[in-house]
Amino acid sequence: MEISYKDHLREIVTSAWLMGWPVSEIWLNGEKLYPMEGNVATQLVVQLVAGPTVDGWNYWMHALDWKAKKKGVVVGYAAEKLVFTGTGNDVLKKEEEYTAKKYKTRNTIPDRYKKDTGHAKMMLNFLSNAKNPPKFELYASAPIYGDSNLFSMIIGGKTYTEGKDFTMNAETGFIQFLKAAQLPAITALSKGAKIKLKATVPERRDAVFHRDGDGEARKTYNLPLLQDTKFELWWYKGQKKGCAGLKFEVTGKSSGQIYVKGWGQRNGHGRGVKTRDIVYAKKDPVSSGTTEKWNNSWKKGDTQYEIYVDWYQGSYNDNFQPIYPKFTKEWDVEVLGVVVKQV
């Protein structure tokens, strides 16, 4: 039961007394108000993944990084303006304009159109109730941006979705259930109990390590490495007859663990010839080169990694880019505290 009195709004009644005696039940017009059967949680505080010595911490950091960067990322395109071009429809008139909201429709653009954010053209079939569904030509498209909702939470076998059922502060572990959510029973959330947080992160690229000219250079990336991370490298041959190439080494910080080391080279005649390759943390030949050392697993304690490159013999417009693998990961987190509501 909740009551409001003066500055106290919707406070939960945990006990009731009358003239110094405890009240066992309160009824109003045949409805039992107190005590209510069962309790649910409205807020939680959980112990998040603690640090770089914990299994799965490297995936946790990548999930948080993707969560921070996800807002503003184009994940698809929605129709802005569609013009009827079909014939024989019993509902619509030629040249009438409709938005994607009027009919149930496939209103996202296939992958082959996703590079064009402004004026991709294609035909869309509207799945209306008309006997002869009309066709529309897409004259403009509006990008759909992702938001920062990433995690799902599993409590007592039920899955809750971030943004729909709850919000979460990934720094403090504070979780607020939303009004529309089916609140979890307190029996599954006693202090010290474990719940699951789950995230799915797509394959993504980090910043390009670019250098134009000969000589060695280093760049530090502020993320731990994931298993199956790969690296794309490309460079151009600057001399007509001379060879051109690069040496590379990826090292964990602060362990010094070498994750992959090798070299690539372009031989033969030609100037301005581009060489491109993908480097894996395994024995896998690079263009006219090789990988010499590799370790395809994260070293606990590493919070960063460093890329070392040494371009030589006229190589120019040289680039080295990390590509992180897609993953779905679950973490068991401990419940530290619960705010309870009677129902």
Side-chain angles (χ1 to χ4, degrees), residues 151-283:
F151 290 97
S152 58
M153 182 167 51
I154 304 169
I155 301 174
K158 179 176 173 55
T159 299
Y160 297 83
T161 303
E162 186 180 10
K164 177 184 176 184
D165 301 316
F166 70 93
T167 60
M168 181 179 73
N169 186 320
E171 295 181 357
T172 63
F174 177 78
I175 294 169
Q176 172 74 57
F177 288 97
L178 302 178
K179 290 183 178 179
Q182 182 181 341
L183 300 176
I186 190 62
T187 53
L189 292 169
S190 58
K191 185 177 179 181
K194 295 290 184 71
I195 64 174
K196 290 185 181 294
L197 287 176
K198 181 178 179 180
T200 297
V201 177
E203 180 180 275
R204 59 199 184 102
R205 292 171 177 261
D206 212 326
V208 176
F209 183 8
H210 172 79
R211 182 180 173 87
D212 191 2
D214 291 348
E216 62 182 24
R218 299 176 185 273
K219 180 178 177 65
T220 296
Y221 287 80
N222 293 318
L223 281 172
L225 273 179
L226 301 179
Q227 185 175 353
D228 296 330
T229 296
K230 55 191 178 184
F231 302 89
E232 182 176 7
L233 61 145
W234 63 100
W235 71 96
Y236 290 81
K237 189 171 180 289
Q239 300 175 7
K240 185 175 182 180
K241 295 183 179 180
C243 303
L246 58 83
K247 301 175 184 177
F248 58 84
E249 183 174 311
V250 180
T251 307
K253 297 179 73 172
S254 57
S255 70
Q257 171 70 57
I258 294 176
Y259 289 103
V260 62
K261 178 181 179 180
W263 54 274
Q265 182 170 297
R266 167 66 74 172
N267 301 321
H269 291 271
R271 181 182 290 118
V273 179
K274 180 180 180 180
T275 300
R276 176 188 173 278
D277 212 331
I278 300 291
V279 174
Y280 300 87
K282 62 181 180 180
K283 185 172 178 59

Side-chain angles (χ1 to χ4, degrees), residues 83-135:
V83 178
F84 175 61
T85 59
T87 59
N89 185 263
D90 58 349
V91 177
L92 304 175
K93 297 178 181 179
K94 189 175 182 180
E95 300 303 332
E96 277 189 296
E97 295 181 3
Y98 287 81
T99 65
K101 295 179 181 178
K102 188 168 181 64
Y103 289 90
K104 294 180 180 179
T105 178
R106 214 182 83 236
N107 65 342
T108 54
I109 296 177
D111 289 342
R112 64 182 180 276
Y113 289 97
K114 282 189 176 179
K115 292 182 179 179
D116 186 348
T117 62
H119 301 288
K121 282 191 173 184
M122 62 172 293
M123 299 298 295
L124 295 178
N125 288 316
F126 272 64
L127 306 178
S128 71
N129 292 325
K131 295 179 181 178
N132 180 16
K135 290 184 178 181

Side-chain angles (χ1 to χ4, degrees), residues 26 36 123 148 200 322 334:
I26 299 176
M36 300 299 290
M123 299 298 295
S148 58
T200 297
E334 182 180 341

